Amino acid sequence: MAGQSIRDVTFQLLRELGVTTVFGNPGSTEETFLKDFPADFTYIQTLQEASAVAAADGYAQATRKPALVNVHTSAGLCNGMSGILTAAMNRTPLIITAGNQTREMLLMEPWLTNVKPAHLPEPWAKWAYEPVRAEDVPAAFMRAYAMALQPPAGPVFLSIPLDDWDKPATGPAVVRTVASRIGPDPARIQEFADALSQAKNPALIYGGAIARGQGWKQAIALAEKLNADVWSAPACERPPMPETHPLYIGGLPFATGPLAEKLEGYDVAIVIGAPVFRYYPYVPGPYVPEGLRLLHITDDAAEAGRAPVGESLLCDAILALEELTSRVSARPANPGRKARIAHRMAPHPASHPVTEGEGISALELFQTLRQALPQETVLVEESPSNLGDLHTAWPVEHEDSFYTFASGSLGWGLPAAVGIALAERESGRNRPVLAIIGDGSFQYSIQALYTAARHKLPILFVVPCNGEYGILKSFALLEKTPGVPGLDIPGLDIAALGRGYGCTSLRVDTLEGVQAACADAIRREGPTVLEVPILPSIPPLI
């Protein structure tokens, strides 16, 4: 150990943990950490911290391992907070680090000091800490890794004064392993199994945790043994099973009254791997219909605690599916099944253009994209006003082929697609990535285009341009708030923005042009930005 610094010991710990990819945007207080950057580590440069966090989120989800993010002291942490919020709700294990000013100056709070580093990322970081001594830095990284992985997985934060890294280490870091799954209470899981077996008409409500745990096979097994309708939980960020499966109905709406209406006729419903429930617009009504017994399985005690109704069990979603399948009684086919919803996971149906005349509708655009691109294409979505059209045109049929954000905080999709494409390359799967980003959403983390271009990632960014915040106009109708300013965003040149960051960019206004652009993008090395004007529409919210 003679002569080893805190930096040496920490990088060795990260090697042993398999965390060797760093997403970041370097700042002055981080240069001591990044000095003599090891050749066996990979640094993914972004141009803004929001892009760094979201790209790491996509990468961590697609690789199923924690990712390391390095942001710039308090300023960079503030820039990245939207991404940290989304990573928390996505249940993505991230270790987010930032430098701080030299310890000798912290008392005076000089320029760029993170004054309260443990408080600034609250409440979205699971754990946040600035080590009391430089010698504690490696152990703090080990604890951060453990905290990020243990259920519920999520982002953690470490603040490291810039002069800590060159100080001498007192010994090697202690490497530990941690469990990332929790099993069910045997009596409670049997109680839930008995309720499902005895139900006259049970319903399964599946959440994103099933996809995160690679649990489609287990989700299908339970559904088929019970012959029960399967719903996606409201605003589900990952599809919990193939949307073309005969038992899959669609997504529940994210409002109390309409959700309860969808569950009419069931006597037992079980939510697995999702909150009870994720709501957005307030539409009065009961949480569940009268006579429905609601069961809830989650690995998050806080999520179970805040549920307004239902009986809860703490357990990993996949272990719960396996246990329930082994314990429930097989049921015959249900002749009174609910009708399948055409818009699948989306909270609202496909829209209809409000402008008559020539032009491309959102639905036509997405149907053309589905036909023009390979079946194994990975879809990343952030176009809120077009969700019904996209999910109508693009059923998710393959595991790990669809990603969106659980938080509703715009700016995640574009950089997340970069992280997912990096993971596709690293894993050798090399599936093409399609990112559908609205023209409004496109502006939030546009700097990630630079990273896509620099790494020559084969991403097709399709921007359906309606020149407005369509989803906000939908809310204006629901909330009866006419005359809200700022809902139109004319004058954007998406193709020019793409070219400015080094991407191949073009604007097309015909479906034939879309098909040709897709064919070129598949063959091209590097990213493509495709701007497509679409007819404006105001979708219903639910």
Side-chain angles (χ1 to χ4, degrees):
M1 280 303 301
Q4 285 208 301
S5 67
I6 296 297
R7 184 193 305 100
D8 295 331
V9 171
T10 301
F11 273 103
Q12 182 55 33
L13 169 67
L14 292 171
R15 283 187 188 92
E16 295 184 43
L17 295 175
V19 182
T20 58
T21 300
V22 182
F23 293 81
N25 181 42
S28 56
T29 53
E30 290 68 48
E31 289 183 335
T32 51
F33 166 61
L34 299 171
K35 181 175 73 173
D36 297 326
F37 195 70
D40 58 330
F41 278 64
T42 301
Y43 187 81
I44 306 297
Q45 182 180 359
T46 63
L47 299 184
Q48 211 261 13
E49 287 85 356
S51 293
V53 176
D57 185 338
Y59 176 84
Q61 287 198 59
T63 59
R64 287 190 167 86
K65 64 182 184 181
L68 179 60
V69 187
N70 186 235
V71 302
H72 180 38
T73 188
S74 54
L77 183 59
C78 289
N79 285 338
M81 278 302 296
S82 173
I84 296 172
L85 154 67
T86 297
M89 296 191 69
N90 282 352
R91 301 290 193 249
T92 305
L94 298 181
I95 302 171
I96 301 165
T97 66
N100 205 350
Q101 271 290 3
T102 307
R103 283 188 185 271
E104 282 76 3
M105 297 198 298
L106 285 177
L107 180 62
M108 298 179 290
E109 298 182 9
W111 205 37
L112 293 174
T113 298
N114 193 341
V115 177
K116 292 186 177 181
H119 295 282
L120 186 56
E122 291 180 343
W124 302 111
K126 284 183 64 181
W127 179 66
Y129 186 64
E130 182 173 271
V132 176
R133 310 178 304 156
E135 293 82 359
D136 294 334
V137 169
F141 269 85
M142 184 64 244
R143 180 172 174 182
Y145 177 86
M147 293 292 290
L149 269 181
Q150 291 179 114
V156 297
F157 174 70
L158 288 176
S159 171
I160 315 294
L162 65 88
D163 55 324
D164 282 4
W165 294 106
D166 287 321
K167 291 181 179 176
T170 57
V174 176
V175 181
R176 300 184 293 120
T177 60
V178 294
S180 58
R181 306 173 76 190
I182 54 175
D185 171 72
R188 188 68 157 171
I189 197 77
Q190 186 61 55
E191 178 187 342
F192 281 19
D194 291 344
L196 291 168
S197 296
Q198 296 162 13
K200 294 180 180 179
N201 188 21
L204 303 174
I205 303 170
Y206 286 163
I210 293 172
R212 288 191 292 274
Q214 291 182 288
W216 277 22
K217 177 181 176 181
Q218 293 89 336
I220 292 169
L222 178 61
E224 290 182 346
K225 190 169 184 181
L226 288 171
N227 262 302
D229 290 350
V230 177
W231 294 86
S232 286
C236 195
E237 67 277 11
R238 299 279 297 276
M241 68 182 290
E243 294 187 306
T244 51
H245 190 281
L247 293 173
Y248 180 79
I249 302 298
L252 288 170
F254 53 180
T256 51
L259 188 152
E261 290 177 8
K262 293 292 185 184
L263 296 180
E264 288 281 359
Y266 300 114
D267 55 342
V268 175
I270 186 166
V271 180
I272 302 177
V276 175
F277 284 107
R278 188 173 285 154
Y279 300 122
Y280 191 22
Y282 176 67
V283 181
Y287 292 115
V288 294
E290 185 176 354
L292 174 68
R293 181 182 180 186
L294 187 70
L295 312 176
H296 182 209
I297 297 178
T298 175
D299 63 2
D300 183 355
E303 187 171 272
R306 68 174 177 264
V309 291
E311 306 165 45
S312 65
L313 166 65
L314 289 177
C315 181
D316 173 86
I318 313 308
L319 294 177
L321 289 168
E322 292 170 347
E323 282 291 321
L324 288 171
T325 302
S326 69
R327 294 168 184 260
V328 298
S329 301
R331 303 171 61 89
N334 179 5
R337 294 189 60 241
K338 300 266 187 177
R340 184 189 296 266
I341 295 173
H343 53 276
R344 302 182 177 93
M345 282 177 62
H348 54 74
S351 58
H352 300 285
V354 297
T355 302
E356 297 293 337
E358 294 184 359
I360 299 175
S361 70
L363 182 60
E364 290 172 329
L365 169 61
F366 300 142
Q367 288 171 334
T368 301
L369 291 170
R370 177 65 286 187
Q371 294 165 5
L373 294 170
Q375 284 297 309
E376 68 272 16
T377 298
V378 179
L379 177 62
V380 181
E381 169 271 306
E382 190 178 301
S383 185
S385 61
N386 299 312
L387 295 182
D389 304 280
L390 178 59
H391 287 282
T392 298
W394 194 295
V396 181
E397 300 178 278
H398 304 286
E399 207 162 12
D400 294 339
S401 66
F402 176 85
Y403 297 85
T404 191
F405 54 121
S407 65
S409 183
L410 299 179
W412 178 86
L414 197 158
V418 171
I420 291 165
L422 285 165
E424 285 294 318
R425 175 179 291 175
E426 180 180 299
S427 68
R429 291 188 299 259
N430 292 313
R431 296 177 296 175
V433 176
L434 168 67
I436 305 289
I437 313 291
D439 50 354
S441 297
F442 193 75
Q443 312 308 317
Y444 282 72
S445 297
I446 193 171
Q447 303 91 340
L449 290 177
Y450 173 84
T451 308
R454 295 295 294 176
H455 288 269
K456 298 181 179 179
L457 297 173
I459 306 171
L460 173 58
F461 296 100
V462 174
V463 184
C465 296
N466 55 14
E468 63 184 8
Y469 292 125
I471 196 67
L472 295 183
K473 291 186 176 182
S474 298
F475 266 93
L477 289 177
L478 179 74
E479 297 165 347
K480 298 180 174 60
T481 54
V484 176
L487 301 190
D488 292 304
I489 48 172
L492 292 170
D493 189 338
I494 301 297
L497 291 170
R499 283 191 293 272
Y501 283 100
C503 301
T504 299
S505 297
L506 64 159
R507 173 188 170 105
V508 300
D509 54 12
T510 67
L511 295 177
E512 293 77 15
V514 171
Q515 291 175 325
C518 288
D520 290 341
I522 293 170
R523 294 190 295 266
R524 181 177 294 119
E525 181 183 51
T528 302
V529 174
L530 180 61
E531 176 185 357
V532 185
I534 61 170
L535 296 171
S537 61
I538 302 177
L541 276 178
I542 50 176

